[in-house]
Amino acid sequence: MADHFQLRLVDSRMLAPTVRHLVFERVDGQPLAFQPGQFLQVHFHYDDGTATKRSYSVATVGDGSSPVQRIEIAVSYVEGGAATRLLGELPVGGVVDASGPYGRFCLQEADRHPRYLLLATGTGVTPYRAMLPQIEKLLAQGGREVVLLYGARNEAELLYGGEFEAFAQAHPGFTFHACLSREARAVPRPGDRHGHVQHVLAELGPHADRDIAYLCGNPNMVDAAFTALKEYGLPVPQIRREKYISSR
C-alpha cells in the first residue's frame, strides 16, 4: 500500500556530469518498506501552482527484504526541467513531499528460468543496483546466471559502474557488459562492448527456454529490445519493462 511522507536530504554526490545521487531519510523517522525494483514519486508544484510529480526508482542496496532507513535515488539533469531545479539545487536538510512505493518491476520468486537478462540505459540501471542482494541470493542457490547489459555514451556516464564490476568479480554467475555507444574507455574492460544495448543483445542468443528479461531506461531502447526479444521467441510474460521518460 502506497504511503505519503516527507523526505529530508541527508547526502548527495554527482554520479556523472548530468546525474546526481541523492540520499534521503523520512522526516517522520520511519523506515521505507519496498521491493527492489519499485519506485517513489516526488510531488511538487510548477511556478503557476499546478501540482505535478516525478517518479524515481529506489536505488538503495539493503538486504533485499527489510525496510531501509536511507532512501537513495538518481536524478538526471533535464534542461529547463522543474524537477531538475527542485532536486538539482536541493540543499542538505531540504525537504520534499513523496509517496510510494509503487511498481511491479521486481524479481519474481516463481520464476525458474536459468538466465536473467537485465538491460538498462541511463538511470534505468538504478533498480538493478537495489536488486543486487536478491541477485546474490539467487546465484547462491545454483543453476542461475544473471547478465547485465548497461548502455551509456561513455565511461563517465556509467552510473554505479564500479559497483557492478566489483559484484561481477565477486560473483562468477553475474556478468556485467558496459555497452558504450560513443567512446570506448581509455582502459577497456574485458566485458566492455561497443554499440547500443539492443544490438549487443544478439551476442547472448536469447532463448525462450532459458531467459527472463528485464528492460529499463530510455523508451527507444526498451521498445527496440522488446521487439528483438520477441523475435528471438521470448513470450511477452517473460519480458518485464519500465520506461524512463524525461519530463519538464
Side-chain angles (χ1 to χ4, degrees):
M1 189 71 178
D3 192 11
H4 286 257
F5 44 84
Q6 289 189 310
L7 295 175
R8 179 183 293 111
L9 184 68
V10 295
D11 195 13
S12 75
R13 60 188 169 94
M14 295 304 295
L15 285 177
T18 60
V19 181
R20 188 184 187 195
H21 177 89
L22 304 177
V23 183
F24 293 95
E25 291 180 350
R26 286 177 54 148
V27 171
D28 61 12
Q30 296 298 308
L32 176 75
F34 80 107
Q35 287 297 313
Q38 290 189 308
F39 64 91
L40 301 181
Q41 291 184 332
V42 174
H43 301 258
F44 61 101
H45 294 82
Y46 288 122
D47 292 339
D48 65 3
T50 303
T52 187
K53 58 191 175 184
R54 297 289 184 273
S55 299
Y56 300 97
S57 290
V58 179
T60 305
V61 181
D63 66 4
S65 61
S66 303
V68 296
Q69 287 294 144
R70 292 204 152 195
I71 301 155
E72 303 174 33
I73 63 173
V75 179
S76 295
Y77 177 85
V78 176
E79 184 70 35
T84 295
R85 187 167 72 246
L86 171 69
L87 296 172
E89 300 174 1
L90 191 69
V92 170
V95 173
V96 295
D97 295 318
S99 65
Y102 304 99
R104 294 181 292 181
F105 189 74
C106 306
L107 299 179
Q108 306 295 325
E109 288 189 13
D111 289 338
R112 290 294 179 263
H113 287 72
R115 187 171 69 170
Y116 288 72
L117 302 178
L118 312 181
L119 280 65
T121 55
T123 54
V125 81
T126 54
Y128 303 141
R129 181 180 188 250
M131 290 175 185
L132 287 177
Q134 289 184 331
I135 292 172
E136 184 174 40
K137 293 175 184 176
L138 197 70
L139 295 174
Q141 296 170 7
R144 298 292 182 85
E145 179 186 358
V146 180
V147 182
L148 172 57
L149 299 180
Y150 180 29
R153 290 181 294 186
N154 53 54
E155 182 176 17
E157 295 181 0
L158 281 175
L159 313 182
Y160 311 112
E163 295 181 34
F164 291 118
E165 287 170 354
F167 189 86
Q169 290 176 356
H171 302 84
F174 181 84
T175 303
F176 175 64
H177 291 304
C179 305
L180 303 172
S181 61
R182 298 276 184 90
E183 183 182 353
R185 303 198 218 206
V187 182
R189 310 290 199 277
D192 287 1
R193 297 293 184 269
H194 176 70
H196 293 97
V197 166
Q198 60 269 29
H199 301 140
V200 178
L201 184 63
E203 177 185 327
L204 301 176
H207 195 283
D209 293 339
R210 180 175 57 198
D211 297 318
I212 289 282
Y214 284 74
L215 319 175
C216 191
N218 181 284
N220 293 331
M221 180 280 289
V222 171
D223 290 342
F226 180 68
T227 298
L229 288 163
K230 286 196 298 180
E231 291 174 350
Y232 280 110
L234 266 70
V236 172
Q238 286 171 222
I239 310 173
R240 287 79 190 260
R241 294 173 288 171
E242 189 129 297
K243 297 181 180 180
Y244 280 23
I245 301 172
S246 296
S247 303
R248 291 183 179 279

